[in-house]
Amino acid sequence: MSQIPTTAKEKLINGFFRKFPGDAASVLNGFSTEEIIDYLKRQDQSVSKQVFARLNPDIATEVIDLMDNQLFVHIFSNIDAYLGARLLSRLDKEKAQAKTALLSPTLAREIKELMSYPLDSAGHLMNPMTTTFHPENTVEEVLKRLRVLGDRRIANIYVIDDKGTFLGVAALQRIAISEPNVKLKDILQAPLGVINALAPVEDVVELLEEKRIIHLPVIDINNKLLGVIRNGDLVAASKEEATEDLQAMFGAGREERALSKVSLAVKNRLPWLHINLITAFMASLVVGFFEDTIARITVLAVFLPVVAGQSGNTGSQALAVTMRGLALREIRIGQWFKVARKEIMVGLINGLAVALTTSVIVYFWASSFGLSVVIGISMVVSMVIAGFSGAVIPIILKSLGQDPATSSSIVLTTVTDIFGFLSFLGLATALADVLNIVG
Amino acid sequence: MSQIPTTAKEKLINGFFRKFPGDAASVLNGFSTEEIIDYLKRQDQSVSKQVFARLNPDIATEVIDLMDNQLFVHIFSNIDAYLGARLLSRLDKEKAQAKTALLSPTLAREIKELMSYPLDSAGHLMNPMTTTFHPENTVEEVLKRLRVLGDRRIANIYVIDDKGTFLGVAALQRIAISEPNVKLKDILQAPLGVINALAPVEDVVELLEEKRIIHLPVIDINNKLLGVIRNGDLVAASKEEATEDLQAMFGAGREERALSKVSLAVKNRLPWLHINLITAFMASLVVGFFEDTIARITVLAVFLPVVAGQSGNTGSQALAVTMRGLALREIRIGQWFKVARKEIMVGLINGLAVALTTSVIVYFWASSFGLSVVIGISMVVSMVIAGFSGAVIPIILKSLGQDPATSSSIVLTTVTDIFGFLSFLGLATALADVLNIVG
């Protein structure tokens, strides 16, 4: 496979791929699947592996699907079992099995085992355990094994008994300073945390953040050590979790990626758009309730987007800050009053400021003192309600055991739209004659 | 509970504080500053330290401000210099200096040095270096020092020369398997990454994610080793960065926390609300342009929120997914066409589906075939435009060197509102007579 690069151009590309596999993968992400396979074929095996491992997961899956068995074996021999399983589990079950059968028996077994865990479980994130020790092993024996392993980084010495039951870890630091004849059972420590292979990734991220764990041992229900989730994968999982909320908030689901298939995007987003449609028609109902007023004073329709927009924005700001506080665990459910009080105050102050600007503009735009008073008052009212709702809705949803990210923004939009229209059109209707607002 | 005598109750609280300092801090966050100080005073020094370190930073700052010097010294002696500096730098400069002067000279010097770095710099995140070695040190000498340090976790042996210049690291694993008389200079390795103390936290996070670094050495411009950013702080910084985008997208700034002061929230959010006001009035201009049509067909005003809402949502979904792709580095600027093509397709399919539902509802609601055709067509048009805009706007902003989080959503709302109103009211005006839509 490793054709020797002939031209200077090939050499340049080769050097770029070798030196910056991440950037190379990023460039390749923009190419067609066939082109990517072509490029991978023209690199040394070690280089194509590095680049392949960094491709966008969706694209890497397409590449696997399309490449011939020879290239597959080249790239997948010695692949991280964890990465291999992640990618293969995105293929059809039969295809994945056929591909896995091409690999060495050990690797194939590891990959199959990992693939048996659900996509969002700790088991799916772990690297299968390869280096473990027995409690009767001495420090000297450990050091001998470490010498054989060479530069492969080991962070902790994991100790299991004959049945594979996880007993604890011996820190490398402890190993280094102990006498050669000391047995591992005498320097064993309980790990900072362990996790069951079937636990959701959410729990993994929680452990990482709360206990500041660097490597997390994964066990089964019988306390058998199955593998370890390494720091890099922990960090990546944490970042994915943190950024998922953003998508979930707008009803784009948690699985979709920027380059996912159109069908996945439609499937994930359409239900939410339909739920939103209900909300929108509820807002329409409110507006429809005041159709007579609008028929008399058409200019009200012109300023509807202003009131709805500002209260929507105020609500979103409060929601974003509160959601982040919940995500970073800086606030608890019990603190809802403190957060709500703050947001009411912020809504009031911002509302007064924005209402003043708006009233002045509307006064000159529509030459109506009455209308500028109505829009000013309704702005303050709806922005206070929006601030309060933005703070309280995610906290309530969380206390009900709901995911605040998925449902907050839809509930919030309903509330801000309805109260925005209601306060503006309601006030206009009530005060139309008093303030002499005429269309 | 109330029957339990005070001492037992105190013991219970004490046990809870000791065992779950994180949860205890979370509970205390909801109390008044005076109550928190009172609770901290009633705990052992070691326990109050643990709990204090986990308080919300805003609240911890208030606590420092209000507590007496005795409690301050109790909690701050042996504090992580990094944490101490972070909190003290939130006080007035003079107050911070007065408090720092109460501490031991070494700690005071470390804290002062850290406080000299900007809040969002690598220097501010680091722990000052305490344990370093010389290239002529032998493995035996290192092990001797490690024995003295006991269980304090060391990940790498950092080697500097007489002038403090950073030479490299010796992995603990390497130390463990080397002969006692080997000198550090012979087993030195280049670190996976280093960072300048003045580099922004963003760069720190980028290094963490790209090179999967566990501990990051911090140097000054002369290559002098200043400290190390530890894994836990790296992970926390990464998560804060990732969740900041959410707030920035809604114009709530990057610094605000759920329990920040009202004044900070107003200062951060008000400018954005005013920019948004311009957007809203631009949308009003569009609606105003069709005032005559609305005066004839009032029911159009009723359905305005539906069109604007759906195109706004479609745009937000595309924006959220694209922003996440950019944040996770799954897509590059050059891939704008691929992403845009996907979002246009998604907008088209979802648009057709939503338009169908909407048209049916509107047909029965307003008993107007013409209106249901107009709203259906305008929905498809505006949702395709919204999908395209949601994908392209953040990518364009990024390619212009702007922060896509801060500006995308405002530009997007402008685009989706204007095109939503324009397509709906424009079509209605053009086709009013043809389709026999009458108010």
Side-chain angles (χ1 to χ4, degrees):
Chain A
M1 184 68 48
S2 47
Q3 293 164 7
I4 300 139
T6 41
T7 65
K9 203 167 145 197
E10 286 278 311
K11 252 188 209 162
L12 196 72
I13 295 176
N14 208 282
F16 171 64
F17 273 55
R18 182 179 304 276
K19 206 142 182 218
F20 307 104
D23 296 301
S26 193
V27 173
L28 284 184
N29 278 336
F31 291 6
S32 75
T33 317
E34 291 79 8
E35 284 172 318
I36 296 173
I37 291 174
D38 196 46
Y39 272 102
L40 289 177
K41 273 189 177 167
R42 276 191 275 140
Q43 303 301 318
D44 285 347
Q45 193 177 331
S46 63
V47 178
S48 11
K49 270 182 197 171
Q50 291 290 320
V51 175
F52 177 80
R54 287 164 172 81
L55 284 174
N56 174 297
D58 282 317
I59 291 172
T61 314
E62 286 171 26
V63 169
I64 296 175
D65 204 16
L66 212 73
M67 68 183 162
D68 57 43
N69 286 345
Q70 199 194 352
L71 182 61
F72 174 78
V73 172
H74 268 290
I75 285 182
F76 268 67
S77 66
N78 297 323
I79 203 174
D80 227 33
Y82 155 66
L83 178 67
R86 271 204 106 163
L87 294 175
L88 286 171
S89 60
R90 292 159 156 259
L91 294 180
D92 295 341
K93 214 172 175 180
E94 282 147 47
K95 260 187 201 159
Q97 277 174 350
K99 294 270 183 199
T100 312
L102 299 169
L103 302 171
S104 77
T106 324
L107 185 57
R109 205 193 51 236
E110 282 182 1
I111 288 182
K112 260 186 220 156
E113 203 181 303
L114 289 175
M115 280 173 63
S116 69
Y117 296 107
L119 262 170
D120 63 340
S121 70
H124 207 80
L125 271 186
M126 77 181 174
N127 281 262
M129 210 57 217
T130 48
T131 318
T132 50
F133 293 86
H134 194 270
E136 295 291 333
N137 280 144
T138 62
V139 165
E140 195 171 9
E141 287 166 327
V142 172
L143 293 179
K144 211 185 260 173
R145 273 274 274 294
L146 287 183
R147 282 193 193 98
V148 175
L149 289 172
D151 269 346
R152 217 173 107 199
R153 277 298 192 98
I154 299 267
N156 272 316
I157 304 300
Y158 293 92
V159 183
I160 59 175
D161 68 10
D162 295 325
K163 288 176 195 154
T165 308
F166 182 40
L167 299 178
V169 296
L172 211 48
Q173 187 175 348
R174 201 80 178 259
I175 297 279
I177 61 175
S178 295
E179 295 300 325
N181 59 341
V182 167
K183 288 189 172 170
L184 288 183
K185 64 178 179 188
D186 297 320
I187 53 170
L188 266 192
Q189 295 172 303
L192 267 173
V194 292
I195 196 146
N196 188 287
L198 293 173
V201 172
E202 245 178 277
D203 292 3
V204 173
V205 170
E206 206 173 310
L207 263 176
L208 164 74
E209 285 159 9
E210 272 193 5
K211 304 215 175 165
R212 306 207 146 196
I213 281 169
I214 296 187
H215 303 270
L216 182 60
V218 181
I219 54 173
D220 69 7
I221 199 162
N222 297 314
N223 215 19
K224 203 185 142 214
L225 184 63
L226 301 174
V228 171
I229 308 181
R230 291 185 300 201
N231 188 60
D233 300 321
L234 279 175
V235 171
S238 156
K239 181 153 189 189
E240 290 201 8
E241 279 270 322
T243 51
E244 267 176 24
D245 279 358
L246 180 61
Q247 273 183 214
M249 268 184 72
F250 295 108
R254 293 183 171 277
E255 305 95 48
E256 196 189 327
R257 302 296 175 125
L259 293 172
S260 287
K261 289 215 179 81
V262 170
S263 54
L264 178 78
V266 170
K267 203 188 86 192
N268 276 336
R269 301 185 195 175
L270 194 51
W272 204 79
L273 287 173
H274 269 116
I275 295 175
N276 231 290
L277 201 58
I278 303 174
T279 299
F281 275 115
M282 279 166 69
S284 286
L285 264 182
V286 174
V287 179
F289 192 70
F290 296 102
E291 221 182 311
D292 290 343
T293 312
I294 295 174
R296 273 174 60 209
I297 318 168
T298 334
V299 73
L300 288 177
V302 175
F303 295 121
L304 268 183
V306 178
V307 180
Q310 289 297 307
S311 76
N313 279 317
T314 305
S316 299
Q317 291 182 332
L319 178 64
V321 174
T322 308
M323 289 267 309
R324 187 174 181 222
L326 289 171
L328 296 179
R329 273 174 250 284
E330 291 186 342
I331 47 170
R332 295 173 306 112
I333 292 166
Q335 288 170 288
W336 71 271
F337 180 71
K338 219 171 171 174
V339 181
R341 195 179 51 193
K342 171 198 158 202
E343 291 300 339
I344 289 175
M345 279 306 295
V346 174
L348 181 66
I349 297 174
N350 281 343
L352 287 169
V354 170
L356 189 68
T357 319
T358 308
S359 293
V360 171
I361 296 175
V362 168
Y363 178 74
F364 287 106
W365 180 319
S367 346
S368 161
F369 176 72
L371 192 61
S372 85
V373 170
V374 166
I375 203 168
I377 296 175
S378 77
M379 216 141 205
V380 176
V381 171
S382 61
M383 280 171 72
V384 168
I385 294 173
F388 173 76
S389 311
V392 164
I393 288 171
I395 299 182
I396 290 178
L397 286 171
K398 186 159 187 168
S399 76
L400 295 177
Q402 299 289 312
D403 172 12
T406 314
S407 351
S408 288
S409 96
I410 188 86
V411 180
L412 181 66
T413 313
T414 314
V415 172
T416 57
D417 268 8
I418 289 178
F419 278 98
F421 293 144
L422 206 59
S423 66
F424 181 49
L425 296 175
L427 261 177
T429 307
L431 301 180
D433 300 322
V434 184
L435 289 174
N436 196 28
I437 309 172
V438 195
Chain B
M1 265 309 168
S2 51
Q3 290 97 320
I4 301 172
T6 324
T7 47
K9 208 166 142 193
E10 286 278 315
K11 252 188 207 163
L12 197 72
I13 294 177
N14 210 281
F16 171 64
F17 273 55
R18 183 179 303 275
K19 203 139 184 221
F20 308 105
D23 297 300
S26 192
V27 173
L28 284 184
N29 278 335
F31 289 7
S32 75
T33 316
E34 290 78 8
E35 283 171 320
I36 296 175
I37 291 175
D38 195 45
Y39 271 102
L40 289 177
K41 273 188 176 166
R42 276 192 276 139
Q43 303 302 317
D44 286 346
Q45 193 177 329
S46 64
V47 177
S48 11
K49 269 183 200 173
Q50 291 290 319
V51 175
F52 176 80
R54 285 164 174 82
L55 284 174
N56 175 298
D58 282 316
I59 291 172
T61 314
E62 284 170 28
V63 169
I64 295 176
D65 204 18
L66 211 73
M67 67 183 162
D68 57 43
N69 287 345
Q70 199 193 351
L71 183 61
F72 174 79
V73 172
H74 267 293
I75 285 182
F76 267 67
S77 65
N78 298 321
I79 202 174
D80 226 34
Y82 154 67
L83 178 67
R86 272 203 105 163
L87 294 175
L88 286 171
S89 60
R90 292 159 157 261
L91 293 182
D92 296 340
K93 214 169 175 182
E94 281 149 47
K95 259 187 201 159
Q97 276 174 350
K99 292 271 183 199
T100 312
L102 298 168
L103 303 171
S104 77
T106 322
L107 184 57
R109 205 193 52 235
E110 281 181 1
I111 289 183
K112 261 187 217 157
E113 203 181 301
L114 289 175
M115 281 174 63
S116 69
Y117 296 106
L119 261 171
D120 63 340
S121 70
H124 207 81
L125 270 187
M126 76 182 175
N127 280 264
M129 209 56 218
T130 46
T131 318
T132 51
F133 293 87
H134 193 271
E136 296 291 333
N137 280 143
T138 61
V139 165
E140 195 171 10
E141 286 165 329
V142 173
L143 293 179
K144 210 184 263 172
R145 273 274 275 291
L146 287 183
R147 281 192 193 98
V148 176
L149 290 172
D151 270 345
R152 214 170 108 200
R153 278 294 192 99
I154 298 266
N156 273 316
I157 303 299
Y158 293 91
V159 182
I160 59 176
D161 68 10
D162 295 327
K163 288 176 192 152
T165 310
F166 182 41
L167 300 177
V169 296
L172 210 48
Q173 188 174 348
R174 200 83 178 257
I175 298 278
I177 62 174
S178 296
E179 295 300 324
N181 58 343
V182 167
K183 288 186 172 174
L184 289 182
K185 63 178 179 188
D186 297 320
I187 54 170
L188 266 192
Q189 294 173 304
L192 267 173
V194 291
I195 196 148
N196 188 287
L198 294 172
V201 172
E202 243 178 278
D203 292 2
V204 172
V205 171
E206 206 174 311
L207 263 176
L208 165 74
E209 286 161 8
E210 273 194 7
K211 305 216 174 166
R212 306 205 144 196
I213 282 170
I214 296 187
H215 302 272
L216 183 60
V218 181
I219 54 173
D220 69 9
I221 198 163
N222 297 315
N223 215 18
K224 204 184 141 215
L225 183 64
L226 300 174
V228 171
I229 307 181
R230 291 187 299 201
N231 188 62
D233 299 321
L234 279 175
V235 171
S238 156
K239 180 152 189 189
E240 290 202 6
E241 278 271 321
T243 51
E244 267 175 24
D245 279 359
L246 181 61
Q247 273 184 213
M249 268 183 72
F250 295 108
R254 293 184 171 277
E255 305 93 52
E256 195 189 326
R257 302 296 176 126
L259 293 173
S260 287
K261 288 213 179 84
V262 170
S263 55
L264 179 78
V266 170
K267 203 187 86 190
N268 276 336
R269 300 186 195 176
L270 194 52
W272 204 79
L273 286 174
H274 269 116
I275 296 176
N276 231 291
L277 201 57
I278 303 175
T279 299
F281 275 117
M282 279 165 68
S284 286
L285 262 182
V286 174
V287 179
F289 191 71
F290 297 100
E291 221 181 311
D292 290 344
T293 312
I294 296 174
R296 273 175 60 212
I297 318 166
T298 336
V299 74
L300 289 177
V302 174
F303 294 122
L304 269 183
V306 178
V307 180
Q310 289 297 307
S311 75
N313 279 319
T314 304
S316 299
Q317 290 181 332
L319 178 66
V321 174
T322 308
M323 288 267 310
R324 187 175 180 222
L326 289 171
L328 296 179
R329 272 174 252 283
E330 291 187 341
I331 48 169
R332 296 172 305 113
I333 290 166
Q335 288 171 289
W336 71 271
F337 181 71
K338 220 171 168 171
V339 181
R341 194 179 51 193
K342 170 199 158 202
E343 290 301 339
I344 289 175
M345 280 306 297
V346 176
L348 182 66
I349 297 173
N350 281 342
L352 287 168
V354 171
L356 189 68
T357 318
T358 308
S359 293
V360 170
I361 297 175
V362 169
Y363 179 74
F364 287 106
W365 182 318
S367 344
S368 161
F369 176 72
L371 191 62
S372 85
V373 169
V374 165
I375 203 167
I377 297 176
S378 77
M379 216 142 205
V380 176
V381 171
S382 62
M383 278 171 73
V384 168
I385 294 174
F388 173 77
S389 311
V392 165
I393 288 170
I395 300 183
I396 291 179
L397 287 172
K398 186 159 187 170
S399 75
L400 295 176
Q402 299 288 313
D403 173 11
T406 315
S407 350
S408 288
S409 96
I410 186 88
V411 180
L412 180 67
T413 313
T414 314
V415 172
T416 56
D417 268 8
I418 289 178
F419 279 96
F421 293 145
L422 205 59
S423 65
F424 181 50
L425 296 175
L427 262 178
T429 308
L431 301 180
D433 300 323
V434 183
L435 289 173
N436 197 28
I437 310 172
V438 194

